[in-house]
Structure formats: C-alpha cells, structure tokens
Amino acid sequence: MKLKDPGLLRQSGLIDGIWRAGNANKRIEVIDPSDQTALGTVPDMDGADTKAAIAAAERTFVDWKKTTHGRRAELLAAWYNLVIENLDDLALILTSEQGKPLAEARDEIRYGASFIKWFSEEARRIGGMTIPSPTPDRRILVLKEPVGVCAIITPWNFPTAMITRKVAPALAAGCTVVIKPSDLTPYSALAIAVLAERAGIPKGVINVVTGMPQAIGEELISNPTVRKISFTGSTRIGSLLMRGAADSVKRLSLELGGNAPFIVFDDADIDLAIEGVIASKFRNGGQTCVCANRILVQDGIYDEFSAKLSERVVAMKVGPGLVQGIDIGPMINEAALAKINRHVSDALQKGAQLVAQAKTVAVGKQYAAPTVLGNVTVEMELAREETFGPIAPLFRFKTDEEALSIANGTPYGLAAYFYTQNLKRSWRIAETLEFGMVGLNTGSISTEVAPFGGVKQSGLGREGSQLGIEEYLEMKSFHIGGLGG
C-alpha cells in the first residue's frame, strides 16, 4: 500500500494509549481478497489482553464521563476533520483488506465520517427533563448518564462505518470503548484509532483488541465491567451474545441478519426501479445486510424488468477493487464464494433459469459473477438465506397479497424496498411490511440522520439519528424532598 501517511497502517493493538505488538508467535495474517496475498499481520490477542483493555477503559471512564459535553463535541469534530483529510489513505487501506472497489471505499469513509460529525453535534444536546411533583415539597428530575464501558464488535463488510456508527455516539454520551474488529479487516479500525488519538481523544477512551473472536468475545461477554455490547453480524452470533450477556444483564444493541425483499409493482417507474436494485443489490458485491436478497416483480412487467436488469448486469466489470472502473470486487473469502455457488446451484436444480451473467476475471479465487436468475421460488435456499453476493433472484407475483406474503415470510426484518406510484398502495404496503426500515421508490436507506435497525430476528436497538445516542445513556430519576410548602 502506497500511503501518503504510512503511520496510518498499524500492525498492533491499542490498549490504554499504548500500541501493543503482542506475542511474536501469536499473530494472524491479514489477506488481500483480490489475490490472497498477505498484507501484514496483527496480534492474535487473548482474554488477558482484552481484560487489560477493559480495565483501561474503566479507569478512563471516571474522567471521560465528567468531560463537558462541549469538549467531547470538539474532540469528535477534530476526529471527523482528520478522517476527511485522510480519506484517500483510509479508502486504500479499506479496499486492500476488504476488496470493495476504491470508489465505494471512499464512499464508505465519507459515510463513516458522517456519524462522527452527527454525534459531535448530538453531544451538545443530551438533556434530561423535569416531572411535576405530586406534592409541593418535592422536585423530580430525570438525568441522562453514560452507560459505562462498552464493547464494540464489528464486521468485515463495512470495517470503518460500522465502527464510527457505534463509537461516535458512545463517546458523545461519555462512554469509553473496547473495539473488537473483524480479524479479516483490522487495519481500517486501527487507522481510525490512530486519527482519534491525533484528534486529542484521551488514551484509554478508545481501545482496540485484534485477533480471533472466541477468547476476546468470551472476556467481553463475561466481564462485569462491560455494561453494554454493540454488535453487527449474524443472527446466530447475536443470539449467543444475548445468552452470554444475560448473566451480568448487559445492555445490547444488535444489528443482525437480513433477507430484504425488493418489490416492483406493475405501476412502478421501471427505470427508477432498475437503478434502485443496482444500488441495493450490487453495492459491496452484494455483501451487505440490507441488500435486496429477494426481488419480487409483478407479472405484467416481469419480462421488461428482467430484460433491462440483465442488460445492466452483463455489463458489470469484475476484478480487483484497486483497478479503475471495477463494479464488483472479490468476495471476502472462499467460504463466501462457496455459499454463493451453492445457492445458485440449488436454485438451478430446482427450476430457476440463468437469465444473465457477467464475466469474471481470470486471476484470483474469490470472484463471483454478477448473475440474474429467473423464476425463483420460495422453496430455494436463496429465498430463505442471505446469499451475501452479487446474485439477483427474480420472483414473479400476481397480487399485492401474494407479494406481501412472500416478503414477510421470513424470520428476519431488517430492510425492505418497494416501487409503486400509487399513493394508496404505498401506505398499505409500507404499514404491512414487517421490517425496521422500508424504502419507497429508493434503493438507499442508510444515512446518519435516520434510525438504522431491524425487528424480529434482525436485532435490537437503533443506530444513527438522534435515537442512536440514547443507546449509550441511562436514565436516573432524581427525587428532591424537604423543600417545604
């Protein structure tokens, strides 16, 4: 990586302001998914390292929670400015370890930075309330106070934005954090921590432990000092975290799996819907929790929609994310590619049709061809599971009721999209879809100003918006008596 600032690429964890290389014999390689070469290593930290990070966060919390809201806001604003100033380097690090096209990586850095800016402003707006007393000699106040030490566990698909979306509100609220980034993409987290350090955020406020998840996760779950866990990842792991957190009754924010429907009704603007499905389905190579996993198209426009989507998909360029003009980068690892291939094979065996497919590059093992499958049914694996790849499965439906039945026929409830120009239908569909986020005539629903999160088995809590900071605050009722009549 030819960085303008090589100091952003750290191969050490961060505990209490000290960059720790750890045991030389306990390190893990970070692999470039475009060609499977090693970018470097990071420490494979364990429970003892994690306990040290938690202790550092606990010590620092004593002073950080007393820091004025205005001062916290200033430090977060300085952090935001540094992220924007170093956007090119951060994007290069992100693409190198995660694989997404460089233009998308730049977009992610901007998106991630937007949360720092937003919550720098929200830090000044934390307020309580007064409650009218039932007696004249009493006053009742409600205070909002930081939760405490927070564990931040983030995935590989958005290794910068998933950190800032959690850490920025935590710091704004007065909490300190221990970050466990994915072992597949740790360098983005470490680079962001370098910039936080340069912005003047005190040592111990942000700690980063790198390594494999089991030992680190066990300590984060079991340690009673950790008062909250914020996790983005699979429903299976989220469920395990809930079980583990129960013993010490930790607060939880969980952003888990999805199975997003994308419904195109016969009165839709088809060209607008095509743009929406391209944005929703193929961003990050389909490796997003809110991407369109099931594309439902009404019978009357099915053929036209299929033809127009196919034309766009076969023109997509697949290759290393650092190559200019690439639309789809490599998948994160071979296991991800195997799942994609399994879903496509299962669908074809059960009667789906291969409608269109782009070419993949000859080099590398982890490239998936953008594909359109037709006549997909609910019996196929990709109707029940997240494919997490650039596969667009088209379901044909006749009535609104049929579309809603298919869309809601999942235990997940993160995101849903639909396209129609009928106002009455818009309200009915939006209110009937069982999802935490719904997009009408848009394939993009992620922004710092709106709450992000799901229902059912897609998670608990909300990130972003003015609600995001509430996840890191506790309410305290303060009763004052003896004030006389």
Side-chain angles (χ1 to χ4, degrees):
M1 278 183 273
K2 296 181 179 179
L3 301 175
K4 300 173 186 175
D5 182 356
L8 291 176
L9 184 63
R10 295 297 175 98
Q11 301 191 64
S12 304
L14 177 62
I15 299 176
D16 202 16
I18 299 172
W19 292 92
R20 302 193 184 188
N23 188 329
N25 297 319
K26 290 181 60 182
R27 297 186 70 83
I28 56 176
E29 285 189 325
V30 182
I31 304 298
D32 182 341
S34 71
D35 58 10
Q36 293 76 57
T37 59
L39 296 169
T41 65
V42 291
D44 186 7
M45 292 177 153
D46 56 19
D49 296 311
T50 309
K51 186 177 289 186
I54 294 169
E58 182 183 27
R59 287 192 300 272
T60 309
F61 176 63
V62 175
D63 291 327
W64 182 246
K65 70 178 180 180
K66 296 177 183 177
T67 303
T68 66
H69 296 195
R71 179 57 179 159
R72 286 185 222 144
E74 291 170 356
L75 291 170
L76 285 167
W79 188 20
Y80 164 79
N81 289 333
L82 287 172
V83 170
I84 295 301
E85 288 170 13
N86 290 274
L87 189 149
D88 288 340
D89 277 352
L90 294 174
L92 180 56
I93 291 170
L94 198 162
T95 291
S96 298
E97 65 177 352
Q98 198 276 337
K100 67 180 60 178
L102 190 58
E104 287 193 24
R106 291 193 181 99
D107 287 343
E108 180 181 337
I109 301 303
R110 294 187 189 96
Y111 176 59
S114 72
F115 288 99
I116 303 175
K117 181 175 177 61
W118 175 268
F119 286 109
S120 72
E121 296 161 349
E122 288 298 298
R124 300 179 187 274
R125 303 187 183 113
I126 300 171
M129 67 180 80
T130 60
I131 297 175
S133 171
T135 60
D137 63 339
R138 179 185 293 257
R139 301 292 183 272
I140 304 172
L141 308 178
V142 177
L143 310 178
K144 291 187 178 181
E145 300 178 343
V147 169
V149 176
C150 300
I152 307 297
I153 306 174
T154 58
W156 52 263
N157 56 343
F158 289 90
T160 296
M162 295 305 96
I163 287 177
T164 58
R165 198 163 77 181
K166 299 173 187 295
V167 172
L171 268 57
C175 299
T176 54
V177 300
V178 177
I179 303 170
K180 164 61 179 82
S182 169
D183 54 282
L184 301 174
T185 55
Y187 290 146
S188 291
L190 295 168
I192 284 289
V194 169
L195 296 178
E197 189 176 56
R198 293 179 185 175
I201 293 173
K203 66 178 184 179
V205 171
I206 296 177
N207 305 273
V208 185
V209 287
T210 61
M212 302 306 289
Q214 185 169 352
I216 296 171
E218 286 177 356
E219 183 62 32
L220 292 174
I221 293 170
S222 62
N223 194 310
T225 300
V226 176
R227 296 309 314 143
K228 177 183 173 64
I229 297 175
S230 180
F231 169 76
T232 296
S234 72
T235 296
R236 182 180 68 84
I237 299 300
S239 180
L240 293 173
L241 288 172
M242 288 186 75
R243 291 189 185 98
D247 288 340
S248 53
V249 197
K250 300 186 194 304
R251 289 186 62 172
L252 290 168
S253 293
L254 302 174
E255 197 264 281
L256 308 177
N259 190 359
F262 189 105
I263 309 170
V264 187
F265 291 99
D266 54 9
D267 66 340
D269 180 330
I270 295 180
D271 292 333
L272 184 65
I274 293 293
E275 294 302 322
V277 81
I278 293 294
S280 174
K281 172 72 262 183
F282 294 100
R283 183 167 63 107
N284 197 21
Q287 299 176 112
T288 81
C289 55
V290 295
C291 77
N293 202 57
R294 298 168 295 154
I295 304 169
L296 285 58
V297 185
Q298 199 153 19
D299 194 58
I301 60 168
Y302 181 93
D303 292 338
E304 181 182 357
F305 183 91
S306 176
K308 287 189 172 183
L309 179 61
S310 297
E311 185 179 350
R312 293 289 299 275
V313 169
V314 296
M316 288 182 171
K317 295 181 179 179
V318 181
L322 294 179
V323 174
Q324 189 173 3
I326 289 297
D327 299 301
I328 306 291
M331 300 298 99
I332 188 63
N333 54 29
E334 291 187 46
L337 185 62
K339 182 180 183 181
I340 293 166
N341 291 336
R342 188 184 80 242
H343 278 189
V344 172
S345 177
D346 173 78
L348 294 175
Q349 288 175 11
K350 292 176 179 176
Q353 296 177 345
L354 180 60
V355 178
Q357 192 168 64
K359 295 179 180 179
T360 60
V361 293
V363 181
K365 302 176 182 178
Q366 292 171 206
Y367 293 94
T371 300
V372 179
L373 296 176
N375 295 329
V376 177
T377 64
V378 295
E379 291 78 21
M380 299 171 185
E381 286 184 9
L382 50 66
R384 301 189 302 270
E385 302 176 4
E386 279 187 293
T387 301
F388 243 56
I391 310 302
L394 303 185
F395 298 70
R396 189 188 296 261
F397 73 91
K398 293 184 182 299
T399 67
D400 291 19
E401 290 70 27
E402 182 184 2
L404 286 167
S405 176
I406 296 172
N408 288 333
T410 172
Y412 304 103
L414 188 58
Y417 311 84
F418 71 101
Y419 279 69
T420 180
Q421 298 185 74
N422 183 300
L423 181 60
K424 184 177 180 180
R425 173 186 268 167
S426 297
W427 280 105
R428 183 176 72 254
I429 299 300
E431 292 174 350
T432 308
L433 286 168
E434 298 169 354
F435 296 84
M437 298 174 288
V438 176
L440 167 61
N441 294 332
T442 178
S444 177
I445 56 173
S446 299
T447 171
E448 77 278 11
V449 305
F452 188 104
V455 299
K456 300 193 288 187
Q457 292 186 28
S458 287
L460 304 168
R462 294 294 182 270
E463 295 181 328
S465 80
Q466 69 269 35
L467 301 175
I469 201 166
E470 298 293 336
E471 300 284 340
Y472 297 90
L473 294 167
E474 295 281 17
M475 285 191 290
K476 176 187 287 183
S477 296
F478 182 29
H479 298 256
I480 308 168
L483 299 179

